[in-house]
């Protein structure tokens, strides 16, 4: 079976959101991409409390100065498409009121005919937490756990009732309901997070940062699933953060998915060989505008399929 390929939608500062999201979504679906994805950044601190991903001294990319709201972006894409799944990679759970986020995802699923995939995580930016979180950074895991509970309640049958630390729902009718159970995907960057993934989620959302590393991580997830008696398979969508260049990038230490079309496809082939069923290719950061993003995405897709991905 070929690997399913997804594409990141244009959310960054160089795009016209009202025009470009629909155009890219429509073109990607016509090309053959099977899913469309968004990510979440809510601000660009100057100066930042911490480096990118919490790495000291690592600068935030300039494109993060303006990132469109992920759910609004997906709503625009939903209206322009009819087949592609619509995923979040990822929503930062503690930046959202659990009940409201559960309702928004259910409404989007109902509006799109059952195409939503909910990728949820805990984030890393202390500045984003200071501005928008519903609980302190130290409670991020507990907030994610409560969000998972609230989603299960809100998406399930009425009457909905729930009581937690952040959320109280008296027995109520809550609609619209999702068309089908919304798949929930989680990262797994620690032993505790991996247990949460295996016990509570439908799938895993790793970063594709090297085929050998991805294969090792995937084996650990599968081994833990077997150890904990999970019977249903763990879905996977690996995020490939690409840096496209018209010219090849030289050097033995070239980062995965950094380079021209041939190099990006070479990396897709290597990562597909790990056995993961889906790869999300996010090209938006280094394409100049929507026209180039559409052209590069189509070129990569066609070359990847020709290479057997």
């Amino acid at each position: 079976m070929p690997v399913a390929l997804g594409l990141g939608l244009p959310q960054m500062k160089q795009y016209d959101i009202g025009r470009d999201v629909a155009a890219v979504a429509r073109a990607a679906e016509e090309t053959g991409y099977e899913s469309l994805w968004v990510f979440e950044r809510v601000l660009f601190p100057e100066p930042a409390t911490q480096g990118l991903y919490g790495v000291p001294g690592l600068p935030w990319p300039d494109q993060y100065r303006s990132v469109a709201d992920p759910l609004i972006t997906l709503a625009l894409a939903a209206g322009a498409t009819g087949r592609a799944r619509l995923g979040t990679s990822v929503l930062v759970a503690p930046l959202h009121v659990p009940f409201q986020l559960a309702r928004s995802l259910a409404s989007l699923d109902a509006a799109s005919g059952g195409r939503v995939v909910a990728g949820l995580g805990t984030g890393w930016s202390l500045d984003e937490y200071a501005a928008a979180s519903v609980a302190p950074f130290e409670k991020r895991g507990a907030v994610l756990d409560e969000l998972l509970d609230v989603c299960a309640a809100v998406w399930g049958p009425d009457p909905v009732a729930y009581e937690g630390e952040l959320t109280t729902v008296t027995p109520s009718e809550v609609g619209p309901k999702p068309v089908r159970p919304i798949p929930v995907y989680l990262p797994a960057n620690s032993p505790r997070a991996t247990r949460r993934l295996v016990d509570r989620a439908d799938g895993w959302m790793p970063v594709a940062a090297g085929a050998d590393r991805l294969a090792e991580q995937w084996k650990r997830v599968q081994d833990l699933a077997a150890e904990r008696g999970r019977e249903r398979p763990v879905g996977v969508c690996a995020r490939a953060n690409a840096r496209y260049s018209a010219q090849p990038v030289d050097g033995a230490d070239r980062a995965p998915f950094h380079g021209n079309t041939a190099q990006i496809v070479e990396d897709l082939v290597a990562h597909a060989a790990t056995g993961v069923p889906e790869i999300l290719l996010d090209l938006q950061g280094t394409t100049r505008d929507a026209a180039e993003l559409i052209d590069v995405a189509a070129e990569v897709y066609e070359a990847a399929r020709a290479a057997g991905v």
Side-chain angles (χ1 to χ4, degrees), residues 135-146:
F137 186 76
E138 293 74 20
K139 292 189 174 183
R140 59 195 182 279
V143 175
L144 177 55
D145 285 330
E146 181 157 327

Side-chain angles (χ1 to χ4, degrees), residues 156-170:
D158 292 326
V160 173
Y162 180 82
E163 184 165 355
E165 185 174 346
L166 299 170
T167 312
T168 299
V169 184
T170 59

Side-chain angles (χ1 to χ4, degrees), residues 18-63:
R19 179 191 65 206
D20 293 344
V21 171
V24 171
R26 191 177 301 112
E29 187 176 72
E30 291 172 356
T31 294
Y33 284 96
E34 295 168 74
S35 54
L36 302 167
W37 297 83
V38 291
F39 73 106
E40 184 160 48
R41 287 271 72 81
V42 301
L43 48 72
F44 188 97
E46 292 187 300
T49 300
Q50 59 191 153
L52 185 68
Y53 310 130
V55 179
L58 186 62
W60 291 44
D62 189 61
Q63 294 94 334

Side-chain angles (χ1 to χ4, degrees), residues 192 223 239:
R192 182 176 180 179
D223 287 347
R239 165 177 273 277

